Amino acid sequence: HSVEVWCLNIISLFSGAGGLDLGFEQEGFCPVLACDIESAAVETYNYNRKGTIAHIADLSSVTGDDIIRKINKLKLNKLPRGVVGGPPCQYFSNGNRSTRNKNDPRRILPINYASTLRRLNEEYELDFFVMENVYGLVYPSFREDLEYIIKMFEEAGFRVFHDVLDAYDYEVPQFRKRVFFVGWSK
């Protein structure tokens, strides 16, 4: 007889090489689709997982419907229950102060994440999402951006919580503050 292994399917957006996903995998979550614009990151992601979960996708233009079509082609036994990801964050980075431009397209990537999340939630009735970004997003100078991003997550159907965590406090040998957004289905 076979033993069924518990696994909760998730979608990964702005997945990079899969570091955030790895933490979820270690806790029993299964990424069924990962998307990132960088081909080297997608190659690394798939190489480390011995599969083709990750795909090259420009998430500034790919829609929730595009993601849904890709997932439907997978013919999954269980639908996705959550979404994780970390949109590029250079616009909000403290290291970008001298060259910051309000028209930087990376500024709206968290909003693209929220829009895609909304469509995925309509389709799959998700339980949660997690998004991580640079600590700079919570600086007073980005208050309007932060409030708008939270509003978009709420409109996508989630109760949203956010906090700044430092990797050092979790036994990682570096000081690395990041802001995490966690949303639970309303």
Side-chain angles (χ1 to χ4, degrees), residues 5-23:
V5 177
W6 179 85
C7 183
L8 194 64
N9 289 346
I10 59 172
I11 300 165
S12 177
L13 304 176
F14 302 99
S15 59
L20 183 63
D21 298 18
L22 179 60

Side-chain angles (χ1 to χ4, degrees), residues 82-103:
V83 175
V84 301
C89 44
Q90 293 91 334
Y91 178 80
F92 302 107
S93 174
N94 196 33
N96 192 27
R97 280 186 290 196
S98 63
T99 60
R100 189 168 290 129
N101 174 350
K102 282 208 178 262
N103 296 320

Side-chain angles (χ1 to χ4, degrees), residues 55-184:
H55 299 272
I56 297 172
D58 180 353
L59 293 166
S60 68
S61 60
V62 168
T63 67
D65 286 328
D66 296 329
I67 302 289
I68 290 165
R69 278 191 288 281
K70 283 184 180 282
I71 291 170
N72 288 344
K73 287 181 183 176
L74 298 174
K75 300 190 186 315
L76 302 171
N77 291 335
K78 297 182 283 184
L79 295 176
R81 302 309 321 143
V83 175
V84 301
C89 44
Q90 293 91 334
Y91 178 80
F92 302 107
S93 174
N94 196 33
N96 192 27
R97 280 186 290 196
S98 63
T99 60
R100 189 168 290 129
N101 174 350
K102 282 208 178 262
N103 296 320
D104 186 330
R106 295 170 297 190
R107 180 181 184 200
I108 63 164
L109 292 176
I111 295 164
N112 290 33
Y113 181 101
S115 296
T116 301
L117 180 66
R118 180 183 193 145
R119 182 63 189 103
L120 294 172
N121 192 30
E122 290 168 356
E123 184 73 15
Y124 301 119
E125 297 180 11
L126 301 169
D127 296 323
F128 73 95
F129 81 87
V130 174
M131 184 186 91
E132 65 88 21
N133 213 290
V134 293
Y135 173 59
L137 183 54
V138 298
Y139 288 174
S141 58
F142 298 120
R143 171 175 249 110
E144 286 180 28
D145 291 283
L146 177 64
E147 289 174 356
Y148 186 68
I149 291 165
I150 291 170
K151 178 182 175 219
M152 293 288 292
F153 286 143
E154 289 171 346
E155 289 177 359
F158 297 91
R159 279 188 214 100
V160 182
F161 306 89
H162 72 282
D163 204 353
V164 174
L165 304 175
D166 190 332
Y168 183 80
D169 295 332
Y170 298 90
E171 301 179 10
V172 175
Q174 67 173 314
F175 295 104
R176 184 174 170 88
K177 290 183 179 180
R178 305 291 283 179
V179 61
F180 284 83
F181 297 83
V182 176
W184 297 108

